[in-house]
Amino acid sequence: MKPILSISEAEVGQALTVRKSIELARQAYVKRARKLALEPLRTWFTIPGGASFYFMPAHVFGLRTVTVKVVSVKRGNGTRPLPSTSATIYVFDSKTGSALARIAGNNLTAIRTAASSALATHILALREVDTLGIIGTGRQAQAHVPAMLQVRNVSRVLVYSRSKAHRAAFVRSVSKSTSVPVSSATSAEELARKSDVLVLATSSPVPLFRGSSVSRGTHVNAIGACLPSSREMDTTLVKRSVLVVDSLEQAVATYGDVMIPLKERAITRSHIRAELAELILDPRIMKRGKNDITIFKAGGLAVLDAIFADYLVSRL
């Protein structure tokens, strides 16, 4: 029996370039749109007084692999030497069921999420943009900078988090790997007001800023909060927007950013204009006006993990 392959965070980062990641993400969305994947709705539960867990299985027809991602989320771990989110992807042979690999999932999740945001930004954002704004300073936030720069030319990057030290560390780190000036904003409101493309990459349970602060024409990638009780955007912003999601079924069942405005009856399901996969197949199905605020809300799709994990196992 072959030993189970173990792929580290560092090996994932070395194997996945920004361009390759966007290509793999596009493949995943096209497979999903063409019904060429098995992707059960993710399941989740929260331990009273403890962490939340969710489980994401998938198989893409034609691949030899089946993947299951297990994610734990615990806000407050940032005050301890523990991550607030941790992910592991388990890979199995689709025919025999035998275990093939265990992949450290934090880097992979950040990279494939940023690649999804890049695809959404390419389709939904205005062509001429000036400022990329990012709220959050973790792995997801950092991965989004090169991904956004791959699809839009911006003249500056603005970042904000509640921690001044984290903001300063982000500016230092990202400035080393990009020629675009990187600086920090003094508040989430300021950043929201000044950004043409906005990335929300936090685990915040409550809205990060007033929805009225976002300027017309802005494109928002909301990829952080992922539980029914948490959200990064308020109802005002969602109501003002043209809303696109990664999965309609998942959005109305597990995304607080969508579920809470639905429960408030501020929006109906028809407010969700499309899934990203539909727009990738045919961008003409939805036109954005110059003054529209567009939102891509994503909580992560197992089909993305399946495509990326299969690529890594076949390569490594």
Side-chain angles (χ1 to χ4, degrees), residues 228 258-267:
V258 177
M259 292 175 67
I260 294 170
L262 282 171
K263 286 180 180 177
E264 294 172 348
R265 298 188 177 180
I267 63 170

Side-chain angles (χ1 to χ4, degrees), residues 4-22:
I4 296 174
L5 180 66
S6 180
I7 301 176
S8 69
E9 299 284 11
E11 288 170 322
V12 169
Q14 290 162 7
L16 293 172
T17 65
V18 174
R19 186 168 294 180
K20 183 64 180 179
S21 298
I22 294 173

Side-chain angles (χ1 to χ4, degrees), residues 70 197 263:
V70 180
V197 175
K263 286 180 180 177

